[in-house]
């Protein structure tokens, strides 16, 4: 299995602050990386696929980058509705998820 | 728009089989996508379980391969999960989702999830 190490496990951010979440794959995954947001009681929502492609309808303050084994999600200007748990997921070989990052407003 | 809806019992006894249905509207499951089952354990861990493709082929997580079966009924536009010999460690929220491909596989449409507890 490809292991996805996600960090940090939790963080709090002020309104308008720029936030970054990291994912490290145990082997190269050729940009086969997606990011999801999950709010309490809801199903996960796709934010980014192919490491950097923004899903339709997702605000442009969300962006993804990375290559090889290292990937990141950036939120440029934290908003109240961005609170939730964020997951990375590799789609290269037998799909696996990161452990999640809980993001809260400070 | 594609919509998915899970259904099935919320309580299963240990050693029995867990059976769930995913009903899809807004898209015909034989037209495209891989139709997946994913679960989220208490404590946030997410696990992809497997999928059935639009052509009917299946692909399973190796960790579940001996216990899992995903099938479909194209006349009802539904696909199904069966997980055998369940234990308390199979307690989780189960989601069905459509799996698309662009520079890797990812899940773009999800059901609302169904919580399944394994307990005697």
């Amino acid at each position: 299995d490809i292991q996805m190490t996600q960090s940090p496990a939790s963080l709090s951010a002020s309104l308008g602050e720029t936030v970054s979440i990291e994912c490290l794959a145990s082997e190269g995954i050729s940009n086969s990386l997606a990011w999801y947001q999950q709010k309490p009681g809801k199903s996960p929502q796709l934010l980014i696929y192919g490491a950097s492609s923004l899903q339709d309808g997702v605000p442009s303050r969300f962006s993804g980058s990375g290559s090889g084994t290292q990937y990141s999600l950036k939120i440029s200007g934290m908003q109240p509705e961005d609170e939730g748990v964020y997951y990375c997921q590799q789609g290269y070989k037998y799909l696996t998820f990161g452990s999640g990052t809980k993001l809260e407003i400070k | 728009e594609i919509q998915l809806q899970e259904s099935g019992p919320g309580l299963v006894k240990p050693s029995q089989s867990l059976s769930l249905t995913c009903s899809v509207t807004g898209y015909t499951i034989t037209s495209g996508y891989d139709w997946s089952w994913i679960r989220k354990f208490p404590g946030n861990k997410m696990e992809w379980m497997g999928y059935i493709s639009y052509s009917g082929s299946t692909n399973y997580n190796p960790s579940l391969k001996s216990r899992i079966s995903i099938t479909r009924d194209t006349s009802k536009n539904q696909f199904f999960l069966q997980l055998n010999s369940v234990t308390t460690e199979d307690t989780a929220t189960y989601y069905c989702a459509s799996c698309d491909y662009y520079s890797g596989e990812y899940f773009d449409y999800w059901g609302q999830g169904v919580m399944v507890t394994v307990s005697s």
Side-chain angles (χ1 to χ4, degrees), chain A residues 26-49:
Chain A
S26 59
E27 60 185 84
I29 56 171
S30 298
N31 290 354
S32 300
L33 194 285
W35 291 97
Y36 303 86
Q37 176 196 64
Q38 186 173 30
K39 298 184 179 181
K42 301 290 188 182
S43 55
Q45 177 191 356
L46 176 68
L47 301 173
I48 301 284
Y49 59 94

Side-chain angles (χ1 to χ4, degrees), chain A residues 89-102:
Chain A
Q89 172 249 316
Q90 65 84 13
Y92 185 70
K93 192 192 313 179
Y94 289 118
L95 318 178
T96 52
F97 290 84
S99 53
T101 295
K102 186 174 183 180

Side-chain angles (χ1 to χ4, degrees), chain B residues 96-115:
Chain B
C96 57
S98 59
C99 183
D100 203 352
Y101 183 91
Y102 174 81
S103 186
E105 294 182 288
Y106 59 91
F107 307 103
D108 50 0
Y109 296 96
W110 295 66
Q112 86 286 355
V114 59
M115 188 178 297

Side-chain angles (χ1 to χ4, degrees), chain A residues 41-79:
Chain A
K42 301 290 188 182
S43 55
Q45 177 191 356
L46 176 68
L47 301 173
I48 301 284
Y49 59 94
S52 60
S53 296
L54 192 68
Q55 174 70 347
D56 290 346
V58 174
S60 59
R61 63 180 178 274
F62 291 91
S63 63
S65 64
S67 63
T69 62
Q70 295 185 305
Y71 299 86
S72 63
L73 173 71
K74 186 165 75 172
I75 307 173
S76 300
M78 177 77 179
Q79 298 298 307

Side-chain angles (χ1 to χ4, degrees), chain B residues 42-90:
Chain B
N44 282 350
K45 180 186 172 184
M46 298 270 284
E47 179 181 63
W48 167 73
M49 301 180 72
Y51 63 65
I52 186 164
S53 76
Y54 67 94
S55 64
S57 62
T58 54
N59 188 17
Y60 300 134
N61 188 319
S63 69
L64 297 170
K65 207 161 189 175
S66 62
R67 297 198 291 137
I68 190 173
S69 177
I70 298 176
T71 56
R72 66 182 184 174
D73 183 337
T74 56
S75 68
K76 294 182 178 178
N77 216 39
Q78 294 175 328
F79 62 104
F80 311 101
L81 170 69
Q82 182 172 317
L83 186 66
N84 299 323
S85 305
V86 298
T87 72
T88 56
E89 296 191 351
D90 294 308

